[in-house]
Amino acid sequence: MPVTETLGQATIDGLAYLGDLAILMGRSLHAIIVAPFQGQRLRGQRVVHQAMSAGVGAIPILSLISFFIGVIMALQSAYELRKLGAIALVARAVAISITRELAPLITAIVVIGRSGSAFAAEIGSMKVNEEIDALETMALDPIQFLVAPKLLAMLLMLPCLTTWADFMGILGGATFGVSVAGFTLGSYIQATLHSIAFRDIVTGLIKSVMFGAVITAVGCQEGLSTGLGAEQVGRSTTSAVVKSIFLVVAVDLVFTLLFYFTTSR
Amino acid sequence: MRPRSSRDESGRQADGGIAIRVRNLRVNYGEHEVLHNIGFDVKAGETIAILGGSGSGKTTLLRSLVGLERPSGGAIWIRGQDLCCISPREMAELRKKFGISFQGGALFGSMTVGENVALPLREHTRLDDSTIEVLVRLKLEEVGLSGYEDYNPAQLSGGMKKRAAIARALTMDPEILFFDEPSAGLDPIIAAGIDDLILKLKRAFGMTIVVVTHELASAFLIADRMVLVDKGNIIAIGTPEEMKANPQPRVRQFLDRVPDPEVSADEGFLDRLTQNLRL
């Protein structure tokens, strides 16, 4: 097959996949926003259950990782800033890199590993065991029943987790600042608050909402398109993780570009 | 595209005691046509067995009847409604009148048996929790599974899973019950128990029952009429007595359990084995 044809086919497949994700998102958002006004109930209990497992359950590991990332960021920036005699800027470097970029991204990656893969595996096994067919024949829309509660939980939990990761990352930076760079806890917090703008946190949170949508859409789409057999469930899970990481980084790039060009003038 | 008038006419006819009407049904998987020009009727209150060997297309036929496969041609009317042309909302309403027991049970692994059976009631009715609880117990009692409400489906044996799936299919008091291979993979005693259960449901509730199976004994016991599917075609329809008397060679082969001739006796056998080889 000529290279142009392969490239063309890959582009068409990629666009078709994005189209499938958009349709899934659209139908889920319809189930969350519009359907409750048409007399169809939103399954609050399932939303809470998902929020607990995808959100609250992620707190311990996310705390640890973002704390470490905070320390690492402080170390890496101190390495260069020390040469310039500007070690006091460590707090600023940590605060900006964590709130604008690292906390949303690390949170997304932790959630992909814990929940994006779980969505694909859960829905994939349901597909293999005819449970999705059973839902349909019981007049229950699988998107309304399975995907919408997951999406709502993720849209609510990702910003919360990201805020928590912001806090833990800065705490990590502060640990380094206080123990090595001559800060007191008070002066570190003051330097942090002085260096970050409200906008930094908000842009991070906006990105985290988008990441939540991407992770849910990819995880559920991969689950719903699982073929027959247990092996396919494994394939869907792997594929969900790889595609989610790629799309989260791509969305991150787009939004960072957008924020850069809309706020730097 | 069929002319509208013929669809309407058939639709009206379907109201007169016909629960399911299938005409010229064709279903494709990609390029491959698996069902060719299938046509039959199921009368209201009748138990029909769709028989056929593995890969004959009988499960695809059942999936088409419940709207899980989209036909590439022909039409299916359920209670007078043409499946091709009804809105998703009408389809949902129609499906509330179905009960389906899938081959593997298809019980939701994340819920207990009781929650599985209660699910259609919780989703489609406004009954309070205690009424739902009583109804769940009643349905489980009907299938001989009382006391298993709090079990996880993974804790049940194959036969119990099928019974639980039947209890779930019965929850909304359906007008039409579909069974996909109800006794496949079960030992003869448990399989006979499932047959008894189907007969009991037929007598007690007068439901229209469609059973897809390859178990001859079971089909002859429960069915009022039988449809024999072979390679995507219907080769015989009739009562169990008519089927027993059917002289067609392929029908006889299936009913008398005669194996296909040895493939190695076939003339093209060696050619097929060696094709595409550079010898």
Side-chain angles (χ1 to χ4, degrees):
Chain A
M1 198 186 275
V3 179
T4 46
E5 204 173 310
T6 315
L7 266 176
Q9 191 57 49
T11 311
I12 291 171
D13 291 348
L15 288 174
Y17 186 75
L18 289 181
D20 287 342
L21 292 184
I23 292 170
L24 186 67
M25 264 308 86
R27 289 181 61 189
S28 309
L29 286 173
H30 181 273
I32 293 170
I33 301 163
V34 183
F37 293 104
Q38 296 174 334
Q40 292 169 39
R41 73 179 90 149
L42 183 67
R43 294 160 180 87
Q45 214 180 345
R46 296 182 74 85
V47 178
V48 172
H49 173 74
Q50 292 295 335
M52 290 302 283
S53 70
V56 178
I59 288 176
I61 186 70
L62 181 66
S63 306
L64 206 60
I65 292 177
S66 27
F67 182 83
F68 287 171
I69 292 284
V71 178
I72 293 167
M73 274 313 296
L75 281 164
Q76 294 284 26
S77 47
Y79 185 71
E80 283 300 312
L81 290 170
R82 197 172 48 185
K83 292 180 196 165
L84 303 169
I87 202 162
L89 290 176
V90 162
R92 187 183 177 86
V94 170
I96 290 178
S97 56
I98 292 280
T99 52
R100 291 185 74 108
E101 185 57 52
L102 288 172
L105 197 61
I106 294 297
T107 307
I109 288 172
V110 167
V111 172
I112 288 171
R114 291 187 76 256
S115 307
S117 56
F119 293 168
E122 178 197 335
I123 298 180
S125 327
M126 290 182 76
K127 183 90 188 290
V128 171
N129 295 332
E130 295 181 300
E131 290 173 41
I132 302 286
D133 288 341
L135 274 180
E136 278 189 47
T137 54
M138 286 157 92
L140 296 172
D141 177 11
I143 291 178
Q144 208 169 29
F145 191 78
L146 292 172
V147 184
K150 288 180 171 48
L151 179 65
L152 182 56
M154 293 282 271
L155 293 182
L156 294 173
M157 291 319 287
L158 260 272
C160 297
L161 287 173
T162 302
T163 310
W164 180 249
D166 283 341
F167 172 73
M168 289 307 291
I170 289 168
L171 192 68
T175 310
F176 171 82
V178 170
S179 53
V180 180
F183 281 97
T184 62
L185 188 60
S187 66
Y188 191 94
I189 291 171
Q190 209 162 23
T192 301
L193 292 176
H194 190 68
S195 54
I196 48 172
F198 182 62
R199 197 186 59 226
D200 296 326
I201 297 176
V202 170
T203 53
L205 293 184
I206 292 173
K207 281 201 280 191
S208 75
V209 171
M210 299 312 296
F211 295 165
V214 167
I215 298 166
T216 317
V218 174
C220 295
Q221 176 64 30
E222 290 301 317
L224 288 170
S225 56
T226 303
L228 294 175
E231 189 195 346
Q232 295 296 324
V233 178
R235 243 179 236 178
S236 296
T237 312
T238 311
S239 175
V241 171
V242 174
K243 285 178 182 166
S244 297
I245 291 177
F246 172 75
L247 282 174
V248 157
V249 173
V251 167
D252 193 3
L253 175 66
V254 170
F255 273 79
T256 310
L257 279 170
L258 205 65
F259 294 141
Y260 179 81
F261 286 113
T262 52
T263 56
S264 61
R265 285 169 198 171
Chain B
M1 191 90 188
R2 285 162 294 108
R4 189 161 182 86
S5 57
S6 82
R7 182 166 64 229
D8 289 344
E9 192 187 327
S10 302
R12 274 198 301 275
Q13 283 169 3
D15 283 334
I18 301 288
I20 302 171
R21 168 157 287 176
V22 181
R23 287 292 179 272
N24 306 323
L25 177 71
R26 290 198 308 278
V27 178
N28 280 52
Y29 285 144
E31 297 285 297
H32 180 57
E33 189 173 278
V34 286
L35 291 179
H36 326 286
N37 275 326
I38 298 283
F40 64 95
D41 289 339
V42 182
K43 292 175 208 141
E46 181 180 43
T47 299
I48 196 151
I50 300 174
L51 279 165
S54 301
S56 59
K58 59 188 189 305
T59 296
T60 305
L61 176 54
L62 180 92
R63 290 176 60 83
S64 309
L65 295 181
V66 297
L68 288 173
E69 298 291 344
R70 186 173 280 272
S72 47
I76 300 167
W77 290 269
I78 307 269
R79 302 174 74 252
Q81 283 181 285
D82 189 343
L83 288 196
C84 85
C85 308
I86 61 176
S87 67
R89 198 176 283 266
E90 286 171 323
M91 187 71 198
E93 284 308 312
L94 189 61
R95 279 174 165 167
K96 287 179 194 170
K97 299 183 172 75
F98 289 179
I100 300 161
S101 160
F102 286 88
Q103 189 170 354
L107 296 167
F108 302 115
S110 57
M111 300 178 189
T112 64
V113 171
E115 286 166 347
N116 263 286
V117 179
L119 184 66
L121 293 171
R122 289 201 195 285
E123 293 294 331
H124 297 313
T125 69
R126 295 191 182 278
L127 296 173
D128 58 80
D129 284 353
S130 45
T131 313
I132 289 178
E133 210 171 308
V134 171
L135 285 171
V136 167
R137 282 187 199 153
L138 180 73
K139 298 297 168 189
L140 286 174
E141 183 80 45
E142 274 172 20
V143 299
L145 274 184
S146 57
Y148 285 92
E149 291 90 331
D150 298 327
Y151 278 60
N152 199 291
Q155 295 172 286
L156 301 185
S157 68
M160 287 157 105
K161 270 185 199 156
K162 296 236 165 153
R163 283 172 178 272
I166 295 171
R168 187 178 68 184
L170 291 172
T171 311
M172 295 289 284
D173 293 325
E175 292 175 21
I176 308 177
L177 256 180
F178 295 92
F179 292 90
D180 188 10
E181 300 280 6
S183 40
L186 302 178
D187 70 57
I189 298 170
I190 305 279
I194 300 274
D195 288 346
D196 270 356
L197 181 60
I198 296 173
L199 283 171
K200 195 176 90 180
L201 294 172
K202 177 178 159 180
R203 287 189 203 113
F205 305 108
M207 290 169 184
T208 307
I209 299 178
V210 178
V211 184
V212 162
T213 184
H214 62 262
E215 307 273 342
L216 288 174
S218 162
F220 276 104
L221 185 70
I222 57 181
D224 297 321
R225 277 194 313 139
M226 296 165 142
V227 173
L228 183 54
V229 183
D230 183 44
K231 293 176 186 158
N233 292 298
I234 290 183
I235 54 169
I237 303 181
T239 61
E241 289 69 33
E242 285 166 352
M243 291 299 256
K244 277 180 192 161
N246 193 314
Q248 277 188 73
R250 192 66 182 159
V251 178
R252 295 276 29 104
Q253 189 190 355
F254 188 82
L255 297 183
D256 299 338
R257 303 179 79 229
V258 179
D260 276 329
E262 291 254 351
V263 280
S264 52
D266 184 347
E267 266 181 26
F269 177 64
L270 272 178
D271 291 340
R272 283 202 303 279
L273 280 187
T274 54
Q275 72 182 354
N276 300 332
L277 286 183
R278 281 184 230 133
L279 295 174

